[in-house]
Amino acid sequence: MIRKIKTVMRSRATSDGAGVRLKRVFSHGEVELTDPFLLLDFFGSDNPDDYIAGFPWHPHRGIETITYMLKGEVKHEDSMGNSGTIESGDCQWMTAGSGIVHQEMPGQVEGAMMGFQLWANLPSEEKMMHPRYRDIKESDIPEVITKSGARVKIICGELEGTVGPVREIVTEPEYLDVTVPPNTEFRHHVKEGHTVFAYIFEGQGFFGEDTDSVIQSDHLVIFEDGDEVVVTSADCHLRFLLISGKPIGEPIAWYGPIVMNTQEEIELAFREYRDGTFIKHK
Ligand code: FE
């Protein structure tokens, strides 16, 4: 069954970290619609003043943060002793689990900086798991060209027998970067019962079988249930992230960069952060 549109929302301008200007696609208010995902930010600017202060040292617990760079770079370092640069086309899939303290500093390359950060929740039994990194270079992300001519970068998930490099994630996510030429259809099988959404960031198109109302760039489409997604571009090319995952359905206690199940767990995390006992696994 082809998934229908449940709701469409426009991303909104905000700032976070030490004053990084970004477009927030969804967050606290939408969590029942986006479970197991908590937040999606789209950051991009040609003006370094919009992001140069970056995201200085901060803790995460209970979630995964997935950073995907389209242009520019993010330099990062963390409490486990890792440091590196997420470059244009790369993805970093970070499972904070029991706790990571890190900083993330965006920078431009050839005058541009653009990327996404997605937060995925962890189920209660995995919230205190060992922290884990998957650093994926652009060259490790397969690109499939479908029969209809859509180009799909597979960060996580499967398309026409090609499997993306990020595997064994508990919420069984899919993370696809899809580019569709003008007036072209893209079809993709998705799991029934999973949350599925698309964020359009270039061009415009039709989502589901409804070809009356075109959905513009900077909009999030959240789908109803079903086992297939159908997207058709309008007269220009269309590019969107297609993301899906298995809902967790547990209570959420969320304060800043820490997401647990109860208020007590949040208070404990911040007490440990103050006392210097936050990091459980070096
Ligand atoms: Fe962070």
Side-chain angles (χ1 to χ4, degrees):
M1 195 180 66
I2 293 170
R3 287 185 177 234
K4 295 186 172 71
I5 294 175
K6 181 185 283 183
T7 186
V8 178
M9 295 185 299
R10 197 192 170 120
S11 60
R12 49 210 184 259
T14 185
S15 73
D16 206 342
V20 178
R21 287 198 206 184
L22 48 83
K23 287 175 184 164
R24 182 141 290 163
V25 179
F26 62 81
S27 182
H28 291 79
E30 290 76 47
V31 80
E32 282 185 19
L33 293 168
T34 60
D35 182 15
F37 303 101
L38 297 161
L39 174 147
L40 179 63
D41 282 343
F42 181 36
F43 44 90
S45 174
D46 299 336
N47 179 5
D49 293 341
D50 288 343
Y51 56 80
I52 207 73
F55 299 88
W57 292 101
H58 59 277
H60 287 289
R61 176 179 284 176
I63 61 170
E64 303 183 284
T65 67
I66 299 115
T67 307
Y68 177 46
M69 294 304 291
L70 302 173
K71 294 175 181 172
E73 61 182 29
V74 171
K75 290 196 189 322
H76 66 92
E77 49 183 320
D78 71 43
S79 52
M80 299 172 79
N82 298 304
S83 66
T85 304
I86 310 167
E87 298 179 311
S88 175
D90 297 350
C91 178
Q92 182 193 68
W93 198 294
M94 183 188 90
T95 306
S98 60
I100 274 180
V101 180
H102 74 166
Q103 65 172 346
E104 304 158 282
M105 294 296 176
Q108 64 178 31
V109 174
E110 291 166 3
M113 197 287 292
M114 185 186 285
F116 289 97
Q117 189 166 81
L118 175 71
W119 291 11
N121 204 0
L122 289 168
S124 53
E125 71 267 24
E126 306 287 350
K127 280 192 178 291
M128 295 302 283
M129 69 184 281
H130 275 66
R132 180 169 76 177
Y133 274 91
R134 311 272 172 92
D135 276 310
I136 303 127
K137 303 308 284 179
E138 182 179 28
S139 56
D140 297 328
I141 299 173
E143 187 175 65
V144 169
I145 300 178
T146 67
K147 278 191 221 77
S148 69
R151 285 190 295 119
V152 185
K153 293 185 180 197
I154 309 170
I155 293 159
C156 184
E158 181 178 350
L159 183 86
E160 296 185 357
T162 301
V163 181
V166 179
R167 297 172 198 183
E168 292 161 29
I169 303 288
V170 284
T171 51
E172 300 170 36
E174 263 198 330
Y175 191 125
L176 307 177
D177 172 0
V178 184
T179 304
V180 186
N183 303 302
T184 300
E185 187 181 79
F186 169 74
R187 285 178 174 261
H188 182 56
H189 173 79
V190 292
K191 286 187 184 145
E192 261 187 271
H194 281 205
T195 298
V196 180
F197 58 80
Y199 180 68
I200 301 110
F201 59 101
E202 290 175 18
Q204 53 187 17
F206 305 95
F207 289 75
E209 288 180 302
D210 170 15
T211 50
D212 292 333
S213 43
V214 69
I215 313 281
Q216 309 280 347
S217 194
D218 287 331
H219 284 77
L220 174 75
V221 174
I222 301 176
F223 291 97
E224 301 271 13
D225 203 2
D227 65 3
E228 191 173 30
V229 166
V230 177
V231 179
T232 313
S233 55
D235 292 339
C236 52
H237 96 282
L238 166 69
R239 189 172 180 190
F240 58 95
L241 296 184
L242 184 65
I243 295 173
S244 65
K246 186 180 177 182
I248 295 171
E250 292 177 356
I252 290 173
W254 181 350
Y255 190 81
I258 297 177
V259 186
M260 302 301 287
N261 298 108
T262 68
Q263 194 55 34
E264 290 70 33
E265 290 169 322
I266 293 288
E267 284 163 19
L268 176 66
F270 280 95
R271 200 178 325 128
E272 289 179 344
Y273 189 52
R274 277 195 307 275
D275 296 347
T277 57
F278 181 78
I279 298 299
K280 304 299 178 195
H281 304 98
K282 286 274 177 200

